[in-house]
Amino acid sequence: MTTYVVRRLLDLVFVLFGVSVLIFMMLRAIPGDAVAIMLGANVDITPERVDALRRQLGLHLPIHEQYLRWLTDVLRGDLGRSVWTGRPVADEILGRLPVTLQLSGMALVTAIAVSFPLGMAAARTRGTRADAWMRVSSIVGLTLPPFWVGVLMLYVFSIYLPTWPSIGYVPFGDDPLGNLARMVLPVIAVSLPMIAALTRILRSSLLDVLSLDYIRTGRAKGLAPRSLFYKHALRNALIPVVTVIGVQAGHLLSGVIVIEQVFAIPGLGRLVIGAINERNYPLAQGVILTATVVFVFINLLVDLAYAWIDPRVEYG
Amino acid sequence: MKRLAFLALMAFGVVLAQSGTLELAVDGSPAGLDPHKVTAFSSFTIINLIYDGLLEINADLQLEGALAESYEISDDGLTYTFTLREGLEFHNGRAVTSDDVVYSLERILDPETGSPQASRFTQVAQTEAPDDRTVVFTLSEPFAPFLANMPNLYVVPREVVEEHGDLQQVAVGTGPFMLGEIVPDTFVRLDANPAYYRSGEPGVAELRFNIVPEASTRAAGLRTGTYHLLPDVDPTSAETLRRAPNVTVLGTQDLAYTLLGFNTTRAPFDDPRVRAAIGAAIDRDEVVQAVHLGNAVPAGPLSPALTDWALDTDAYPCYAQDTDAARSALADAGYPDGFAFTILTFGTNRVVADTAQVLQAQLERAGLDVEVNVAEFGTFVQDWQNSNFDAFVSLNGGNIDPDGYLHRTFITDGSTNVFQHSDPELDALLVRGRTTADVDARQEAYREAQMLLACEGPIAHIAYGTLFSAHTAAVEGFVQMPTRNLRYLRNVTLNR
């Protein structure tokens, strides 16, 4: 087990290296650099000054030298400074990470808490009208883009419940109730597709397991239906569900990026979108690296969860 | 009865000087706050509330005193003497003297600063401070727009620059509001300056600029009263907000205009006959209806808001839209079957992208084969700067003096002459316009320049839109400015 975790963490180093090369090259492949964007379209400025600005930001160097410089700094733990604000990139990220983690974490927990009872109910009532209704609504839930749901809810709340604080963000420490109230709409918008996906997979996985021989045997030897369902069927049905949770967690991050725009929540999504638009290379690189680390860790946790659910899974 | 009146006062609240927080919602964070260094519009929104120049532009686009209470111009137009108000103070409590004005101009002109404002002041040969309240600028040649550039001479304190290296993260000015707190991507808080030089102002204790990128979110927030004021509302949101209870929508003529620009070094746009033919194919009224929902006016080279300078668009022959005439003019120029070209534009501004599409349809009716390339904004800027386009559709900001826009845009090798247009006759007019002090002679020069530019110039000017703002019933005294400057937030009061 320990060897497995260590090996996975070593993998992380290679993943990060690959990602760092990719984002570095991709960001620079977009036409226009920070200086061009900074100067915008309506400005008198001499070509000498433009060159001086590029030099200041190190943009005059060949791209491999720029990469080596950046990589050396990152290995020393220095992510550089934001081109526009001059603040350290690490500070910018640490300020936003908790916001995005809270939103994603609450969405994940909500999705699991809602989809498990729904999926189980659907499996037990297979073929009934309730089951059909749940299947249709889960397809609808899967296809609704969080962005659209977010804007719609915002609009509806602004008319019918104008006193509900639905926009922006306040730190939990400053105002716990205000913080949670502002999380409600974004969490619903982000978790809907995940609820739909998890409900569907849990239902079909449970139905598969329930038709297996050992369940029939259990029933024949007179096990209580409750114990048969929860203790024997559910646990076995969870394995594909956990895989889907891992995949969906990735989608969740992208949904959160969009929903932060809609609800004016100052998280990593807002930060990275702004950074890319401004060609703020150090900041964009720093955020994407951070997101990669988070994503890889989620996948690691999912893999470890298999062992907890299914004792047959071994890590060598 | 007295008691009733008292209760009514309690119920509706009393308007008190400097009370309450005015919540605004804007679309972007300021990218640095150094008034001598930044270029971003989102930065100037804040900077114009914190810093002052010697003069400022009022809502009627006329100049009036800010830090200066009066000025004199010598007869030869070379010496400008300004007298500062008495008792001016920076936000850090230090008295403002004429030395600060001298220092600020030196900082702008210093190549180390790299100030985008520098080109406005290159005619200044000498700046002197004979006493604490007098500043004398001596110009190397007469420069008529000099006064119009005075609002951009933001006066900053030397000791703060020296302590922090620059003013991107700190702000110490003389304006009605002082920098309180910046929480990136969340809000910028400004606090009222108790020592502001205009008495009774500002009327609110705090301004909070909430950063809200989504237009629909800003509109929803205004409906619920989360925000009191949206300085910039797009035409579609303006229509829906008009029907919301307790919301007032304001509109004023925008100084910025949409345009179709041509690369005059590329065939066939190097032929003035082709540019005039395209001009005749354009239906500006249709753009006004389709893109601006009627809230715009057809554009000539100067905004109708510049009442002293702009010609009426009826004066331009090519503004009579005529697709058949455009076709035959193209045939005369050697293109009986039209030609194919690409319009470069960007998608972040809905008005701009929509204008490009409407123009595409109009030009195709005249037999041209037009492709629209909607580029990401940074890509657009890059291609624009490098003149890497056949034609482009964009939005340009305006200026209260014709020189501020026409000179840099159209003179040979001008800093924003991306069309690479070169017309000796036009160059002579633009030089005459800026070096002549006599207003009548300047007006004559710019009349001729407008006639040259309207039909055969490198730009087809399309439309001046309406700038919309919206606020709730709690806001009193907000005045919109065509320049989008929010200086008059200093007059706003909140009733609750």
Side-chain angles (χ1 to χ4, degrees):
Chain A
M1 179 80 172
T2 321
T3 8
Y4 176 77
V5 173
V6 169
R7 218 180 57 210
R8 285 292 299 265
L9 289 177
L10 281 178
D11 281 352
L12 176 62
V13 175
F14 290 101
V15 171
L16 282 179
F17 177 73
V19 168
S20 76
V21 174
L22 268 181
I23 51 175
F24 200 88
M25 299 303 160
M26 280 163 77
L27 279 172
R28 277 158 184 78
I30 321 174
D33 63 17
V35 174
I37 310 280
M38 241 188 247
L39 300 181
N42 267 321
V43 164
D44 302 66
I45 198 150
T46 59
E48 293 77 39
R49 184 57 205 162
V50 172
D51 282 349
L53 275 173
R54 292 227 159 88
R55 207 162 280 276
Q56 216 175 311
L57 298 175
L59 297 175
H60 62 296
L61 296 170
I63 187 158
H64 60 274
E65 270 183 53
Q66 290 185 38
Y67 178 72
L68 279 180
R69 270 189 172 197
W70 175 67
L71 189 67
T72 330
D73 286 346
V74 169
L75 289 177
R76 288 202 205 102
D78 178 9
L79 287 173
R81 280 171 183 275
S82 162
V83 171
W84 288 65
T85 63
R87 271 192 295 269
V89 167
D91 292 1
E92 298 263 19
I93 292 175
L94 286 179
R96 311 304 184 82
L97 193 59
V99 181
T100 300
L101 287 183
Q102 187 196 353
L103 181 53
S104 327
M106 287 177 68
L108 189 65
V109 171
T110 309
I112 293 172
V114 174
S115 60
F116 270 49
L118 282 182
M120 287 188 283
R124 298 178 98 168
T125 58
R126 171 156 92 136
T128 66
R129 191 173 283 187
D131 177 40
W133 192 85
M134 264 186 276
R135 270 190 296 165
V136 170
S137 49
S138 72
I139 290 175
V140 173
L142 264 179
T143 48
L144 291 180
F147 174 83
W148 183 82
V149 175
V151 171
L152 189 74
M153 286 195 301
L154 201 56
Y155 194 74
V156 170
F157 267 63
S158 80
I159 292 172
Y160 297 106
L161 201 54
T163 48
W164 185 270
S166 47
I167 305 171
Y169 175 82
V170 287
F172 188 81
D174 292 0
D175 175 6
L177 276 181
N179 170 286
L180 293 177
R182 283 175 178 80
M183 282 289 155
V184 171
L185 298 187
V187 163
I188 293 176
V190 176
S191 57
L192 266 186
M194 192 165 176
I195 291 173
L198 290 184
T199 307
R200 283 176 66 79
I201 192 77
L202 182 60
R203 174 185 176 275
S204 63
S205 171
L206 268 173
L207 289 179
D208 283 349
V209 173
L210 286 174
S211 66
L212 290 179
D213 287 348
Y214 78 91
I215 297 290
R216 199 179 50 198
T217 310
R219 203 176 287 136
K221 76 172 193 183
L223 275 178
R226 280 184 75 86
S227 134
L228 191 66
F229 187 82
Y230 288 105
K231 216 170 147 191
H232 298 274
L234 183 60
R235 188 155 179 180
N236 274 302
L238 279 183
I239 297 208
V241 177
V242 169
T243 311
V244 171
I245 290 178
V247 175
Q248 287 285 324
H251 291 303
L252 195 70
L253 276 181
S254 63
V256 164
I257 286 180
V258 176
I259 225 66
E260 285 177 356
Q261 291 285 110
V262 175
F263 288 95
I265 297 169
L268 281 186
R270 292 271 303 278
L271 195 64
V272 76
I273 289 176
I276 292 171
N277 283 339
E278 294 163 355
R279 307 292 189 273
N280 196 334
Y281 298 141
L283 186 57
Q285 286 156 198
V287 178
I288 297 172
L289 271 190
T290 311
T292 311
V293 174
V294 171
F295 190 70
V296 169
F297 267 101
I298 291 175
N299 274 307
L300 178 60
L301 288 180
V302 167
D303 288 348
L304 292 177
Y306 287 138
W308 175 71
I309 295 167
D310 185 351
R312 287 170 303 179
V313 177
E314 275 180 32
Y315 300 102
Chain B
M1 195 62 207
K2 256 188 190 159
R3 207 179 138 165
L4 251 181
F6 176 72
L7 281 176
L9 270 180
M10 293 289 285
F12 295 108
V14 237
V15 182
L16 290 171
Q18 297 202 353
S19 72
T21 300
L22 182 73
E23 301 277 354
L24 299 101
V26 294
D27 67 349
S29 297
L33 290 175
D34 193 323
H36 297 161
K37 287 193 168 182
V38 301
T39 56
F41 177 74
S42 54
S43 295
F44 279 108
T45 302
I46 307 291
I47 284 170
N48 281 319
L49 293 159
I50 297 178
Y51 292 96
D52 288 292
L54 292 179
L55 303 177
E56 66 176 35
I57 298 168
N58 67 19
D60 302 320
L61 299 183
Q62 302 297 314
L63 288 164
E64 58 180 51
L67 293 183
E69 64 180 19
S70 64
Y71 61 89
E72 263 174 54
I73 309 171
S74 66
D75 292 338
D76 60 5
L78 288 176
T79 310
Y80 287 71
T81 308
F82 289 86
T83 307
L84 301 184
R85 286 173 198 262
E86 238 172 307
L88 291 173
E89 264 181 29
F90 283 113
H91 296 157
N92 61 8
R94 179 170 73 71
V96 179
T97 70
S98 45
D99 283 333
D100 294 306
V101 183
V102 176
Y103 167 73
S104 298
L105 184 62
E106 277 171 3
R107 182 168 185 258
I108 289 174
L109 292 174
D110 184 352
E112 278 289 297
T113 314
S115 177
Q117 313 291 342
S119 64
R120 297 174 186 270
F121 303 102
T122 43
Q123 285 79 6
V124 179
Q126 200 182 14
T127 321
E128 290 161 296
D131 65 51
D132 274 359
R133 287 179 52 213
T134 311
V135 193
V136 184
F137 300 98
T138 312
L139 308 188
S140 53
E141 55 180 338
F143 185 56
F146 186 66
L147 280 184
N149 286 327
M150 278 298 117
N152 295 81
L153 176 50
Y154 296 98
V155 176
V156 304
R158 177 199 289 263
E159 69 274 17
V160 179
V161 177
E162 282 169 359
E163 188 189 338
H164 297 272
D166 64 26
L167 300 170
Q168 297 287 36
Q169 305 294 318
V170 289
V172 177
T174 48
F177 293 94
M178 312 183 288
L179 183 61
E181 185 184 8
I182 301 183
V183 182
D185 275 354
T186 311
F187 67 84
V188 177
R189 196 192 79 230
L190 302 183
D191 301 330
N193 171 11
Y196 186 53
Y197 55 82
R198 285 172 219 267
S199 63
E201 295 173 5
V204 289
E206 277 182 8
L207 300 178
R208 238 167 90 114
F209 287 87
N210 296 282
I211 318 294
V212 184
E214 267 299 309
S216 45
T217 311
R218 293 195 294 273
L222 189 75
R223 281 168 173 276
T224 58
T226 307
Y227 310 126
H228 299 121
L229 176 64
L230 310 183
D232 192 357
V233 178
D234 65 88
T236 321
S237 302
E239 285 305 315
T240 40
L241 280 176
R242 249 185 242 289
R243 295 194 298 267
N246 293 321
V247 171
T248 309
V249 176
L250 306 171
T252 187
Q253 177 88 64
D254 198 343
L255 266 192
Y257 58 90
T258 47
L259 68 140
L260 172 63
F262 307 107
N263 188 337
T264 58
T265 62
R266 284 193 192 173
F269 302 111
D270 54 347
D271 186 342
R273 289 175 302 173
V274 170
R275 301 200 293 265
I278 290 179
I282 292 172
D283 185 347
R284 291 176 173 80
D285 293 325
E286 190 180 63
V287 177
V288 167
Q289 291 307 326
V291 179
H292 298 269
L293 312 174
N295 301 304
V297 294
L302 289 176
S303 164
L306 302 184
T307 44
D308 295 341
W309 307 98
L311 290 178
D312 197 285
T313 50
D314 293 342
Y316 310 127
C318 62
Y319 275 48
Q321 197 272 335
D322 187 340
T323 305
D324 293 335
R327 273 178 189 274
S328 61
L330 280 173
D332 292 346
Y335 299 95
D337 303 319
F339 54 87
F341 70 103
T342 302
I343 293 178
L344 175 70
T345 190
F346 54 93
T348 43
N349 186 306
R350 198 192 57 81
V351 165
V352 169
D354 288 357
T355 301
Q357 284 190 21
V358 174
L359 291 178
Q360 176 189 32
Q362 292 175 357
L363 297 179
E364 284 184 343
R365 285 202 291 264
L368 298 169
D369 179 8
V370 185
E371 192 185 321
V372 172
N373 172 15
V374 183
E376 184 266 346
F377 187 66
T379 312
F380 172 85
V381 171
Q382 179 98 339
D383 284 342
W384 179 90
Q385 278 174 336
N386 296 333
S387 302
N388 183 24
F389 54 82
D390 298 333
F392 69 91
V393 168
S394 177
L395 183 77
N396 255 5
N399 197 292
I400 61 155
D401 190 282
D403 177 78
Y405 155 59
L406 297 179
H407 187 273
R408 64 179 166 83
T409 310
F410 297 112
I411 200 149
T412 305
D413 295 329
S415 59
T416 53
N417 185 349
V418 292
F419 328 98
Q420 307 192 8
H421 186 63
S422 178
D423 176 352
E425 192 186 349
L426 181 64
D427 287 359
L429 289 169
L430 295 178
V431 171
R432 180 139 58 92
R434 61 160 41 183
T435 53
T436 314
D438 179 54
V439 173
D440 292 337
R442 292 193 73 200
Q443 283 177 340
E444 180 53 35
Y446 287 122
R447 266 197 293 275
E448 284 179 45
Q450 288 176 74
M451 291 304 292
L452 274 183
L453 285 169
C455 295
E456 298 184 357
I459 283 182
H461 296 77
I462 307 297
Y464 293 99
T466 303
L467 174 65
F468 291 105
S469 304
H471 61 73
T472 63
V475 176
E476 276 178 21
F478 178 66
V479 179
Q480 266 193 316
M481 289 188 73
T483 53
R484 305 187 177 210
N485 190 318
L486 296 178
R487 293 187 76 83
Y488 289 119
L489 283 179
R490 67 191 188 211
N491 298 333
V492 166
T493 52
L494 274 176
N495 54 36
R496 32 182 51 251

